[in-house]
Amino acid sequence: CDSLRRASAFHVWRRPIETMLETRPGSLETALGDVVHEVKMPDVQYALLAQLLDLAGDLIPAPKGLSPEERAQGIRDAIVTLLTALTRTRRAVLIFEDTHWMDSASWQALADIRDRLPQLAIVLLSRPVDPTDLPVQAIRMLRDAAGAKITLAPLGRAETDALIVSE
């Protein structure tokens, strides 16, 4: 169920990871396996990423016996390791839309990436939101971020009409 996936921790990371892996030859599973092998990623991190990408199965069994905290830390570390490898030889920009819907685990992963990969550009898009409605991880990251905040005004009638008729 797509709505259940969207409500799952770390779901927002699926598309950026898939997009970056798709630039490599082979299937998504092959590309992930190649990167995991190149960086000597621990098996548990590989399994957690495979599960996040719905690739876990007979060849990549799901990790067992992890506490929720160990699982979350493992996923965050795996994402950082993977993005480090995928951006080692090329520039990249992570773009997240609708960040007002992001879960606290994804915000923490984003903060980890910002801290551990400062050369990686990150763009966050959100509707206006009361900061008190955001997870504490989001508030902490947005308060500490060295980036720019750009607030867009609502479109007027003429701009809305032009957008509707544009291709």
Side-chain angles (χ1 to χ4, degrees):
C1 175
D2 197 43
S3 62
L4 180 59
R5 280 196 181 116
R6 279 195 305 272
S8 301
F10 299 105
H11 173 73
V12 299
W13 288 97
R14 286 180 58 128
R15 191 66 199 136
I17 291 170
E18 288 172 350
T19 300
M20 293 179 92
L21 286 171
E22 287 169 356
T23 65
R24 299 176 66 95
S27 68
L28 187 61
E29 189 169 2
T30 300
L32 177 61
D34 289 348
V35 174
V36 165
H37 178 73
E38 288 169 20
V39 299
K40 298 174 179 54
M41 183 181 286
D43 289 343
V44 68
Q45 288 183 10
Y46 180 31
L48 290 167
L49 275 178
Q51 197 170 41
L52 178 67
L53 299 171
D54 284 337
L55 299 174
D58 295 337
L59 298 177
I60 311 169
K64 296 185 186 330
L66 296 177
S67 71
E69 294 80 16
E70 292 170 324
R71 179 178 201 71
Q73 185 64 52
I75 292 171
R76 289 194 311 268
D77 289 344
I79 291 170
V80 170
T81 300
L82 183 68
L83 290 179
T84 299
L86 293 173
T87 61
R88 184 173 291 131
T89 59
R90 63 188 169 155
R91 292 185 196 169
V93 178
L94 282 177
I95 301 172
F96 291 96
E97 293 182 280
D98 297 328
T99 56
H100 51 276
W101 294 115
M102 275 177 49
D103 60 275
S104 58
S106 292
W107 277 107
Q108 186 60 54
L110 194 57
D112 289 354
I113 285 170
R114 183 208 54 213
D115 293 342
R116 293 164 63 183
L117 295 171
Q119 74 281 6
L120 185 62
I122 301 171
V123 176
L124 307 174
L125 304 167
S126 174
R127 65 170 170 74
V129 63
D130 181 346
T132 60
D133 291 337
L134 294 171
V136 67
Q137 295 86 348
I139 295 168
R140 203 174 299 132
M141 189 189 145
L142 294 172
R143 181 184 57 224
D144 297 341
K149 178 181 177 184
I150 301 170
T151 303
L152 302 177
L155 295 177
R157 175 70 184 216
E159 293 92 354
T160 302
D161 291 345
L163 182 63
I164 291 171
V165 299
S166 70
E167 293 182 50

